[in-house]
Amino acid sequence: LFETHWFSRGGAEHAFAEEPSVHSDLRFCPAYNNRVSCCQQATEKEQALHFDYWRQIFIAKLERVKISMKATAAIEDQGAFTGATPADRLQFRRALEAYAAALDPANHARCFATLLSYVAGMMCFGCMPEWRERVQMGIRGVVRIRIAETTCTELWACCEGFSGRVRALRQAVLDSQLATQQPTPLENLAMFHDQQSLCDWTHDAIALHPFNTPGEAEKEATPPMAAMGRRRLEQQPVAAKEYDALKAGRGSGFDMSWA
């Protein structure tokens, strides 16, 4: 998860600590102040960098939806719209309304603020010296973070409304012959379609790669949990525990607001 930022002699000065130690100056993960942890103040530059990277990922996702909406609206000035039937025009209007609803902060801000809390929780996971109790190991390393069920339940509670808007948008576009003529690629929002999809995506894309910076395509191509489950797993040397990423994130010092 954090391999490229782990301590090595002569390595990056912003790496995690060589040995767990006590600090009292941690701003982003204050829950680890005055207790043994793997974080140090120098690590916070990298934590802030990658937290902001995730914010940009989420913003970019909505921006691509906005681009599709503008391309769809432009169809109204084309000949295809002039010759469309009243029914086609009605479906076209419904598609534009569905775009607007999905892009309205009143309908998505709570969901994306919660996603940022999840990211913050995973930024602070690197501080935990007893991390092995909360992961499942495979031959080549960590294959699963034992994310608490309450994290997935709360995440869905905050994103369920946006999920309905996303599903309505997809159906409205499919129902409109005019809307499907817009030339831009439709943004992949499948991770918001249901609770299981959202829980799997946040685990595979965020929890397993908190400090990773590939392109959006690579993040969405992360193998599903079903595929990971077929790998041979090592015997766990310690008693398994769960990690509540949202609770940890909300106790952090990261800015999780979403305008």
Side-chain angles (χ1 to χ4, degrees):
L1 274 65
F2 304 97
E3 184 176 3
T4 57
H5 294 81
W6 212 250
F7 175 87
S8 61
R9 296 194 182 281
E13 62 180 87
H14 301 297
F16 287 89
E18 177 183 11
E19 297 286 346
S21 57
V22 178
H23 294 272
S24 60
D25 55 359
L26 301 178
R27 296 179 299 114
F28 291 139
C29 302
Y32 291 93
N33 277 328
N34 303 312
R35 54 180 285 199
V36 173
S37 83
C38 300
C39 282
Q40 52 188 346
Q41 193 175 46
T43 313
E44 295 190 334
K45 180 178 179 180
E46 292 299 310
Q47 289 175 317
L49 176 68
H50 290 280
F51 180 83
D52 287 343
Y53 169 80
W54 275 108
R55 184 186 290 275
Q56 290 303 313
I57 282 284
F58 300 148
I59 291 173
K61 183 168 282 293
L62 291 176
E63 283 298 317
R64 287 190 291 271
V65 176
K66 186 180 296 184
I67 289 171
S68 292
M69 182 180 73
K70 290 180 178 179
T72 301
I75 292 174
E76 195 166 355
D77 298 325
Q78 299 175 7
F81 185 85
T82 304
T85 66
D88 286 340
R89 293 188 181 195
L90 177 61
Q91 291 293 348
F92 176 78
R93 298 292 182 200
R94 287 176 176 171
L96 285 179
E97 290 171 359
Y99 270 116
L103 290 169
D104 187 344
N107 295 325
H108 68 243
R110 185 184 180 205
C111 178
F112 282 95
T114 306
L115 286 172
L116 286 175
S117 295
Y118 189 107
V119 171
M122 291 314 304
M123 291 295 143
C124 293
F125 185 68
C127 300
M128 184 177 290
E130 63 275 15
W131 59 270
R132 188 176 290 271
E133 300 173 352
R134 291 167 174 81
V135 304
Q136 192 168 7
M137 300 294 293
I139 296 174
R140 296 183 179 180
V142 175
V143 296
R144 184 166 73 91
I145 311 298
R146 299 182 186 278
I147 298 294
E149 184 177 348
T150 53
T151 293
C152 290
T153 301
E154 185 177 354
L155 179 61
W156 177 245
C158 295
C159 290
E160 187 174 8
F162 179 59
S163 171
R165 301 293 183 178
V166 165
R167 286 181 279 111
L169 171 59
R170 181 177 183 276
Q171 192 59 52
V173 170
L174 291 176
D175 288 344
S176 173
Q177 292 184 2
L178 290 169
T180 55
Q181 293 178 28
Q182 67 90 10
T184 66
L186 291 177
E187 179 63 16
N188 179 10
L189 299 172
M191 65 286 296
F192 296 106
H193 282 185
D194 55 59
Q195 181 174 354
Q196 192 61 55
S197 297
L198 184 59
C199 190
D200 287 349
W201 181 76
T202 50
H203 174 273
D204 298 348
I206 301 173
L208 286 179
H209 306 284
F211 269 29
N212 205 5
T213 55
E216 180 74 357
E218 287 90 349
K219 282 194 174 293
E220 294 187 351
T222 304
M225 285 301 298
M228 292 183 179
R230 290 194 291 270
R231 299 174 185 169
R232 204 185 81 187
L233 301 175
E234 295 177 345
Q235 282 238 292
Q236 300 302 306
V238 293
K241 295 181 180 180
E242 292 183 330
Y243 183 68
D244 190 334
L246 287 183
K247 181 179 179 181
R250 285 173 175 153
S252 75
F254 291 96
D255 177 10
M256 294 159 285
S257 61
W258 187 275

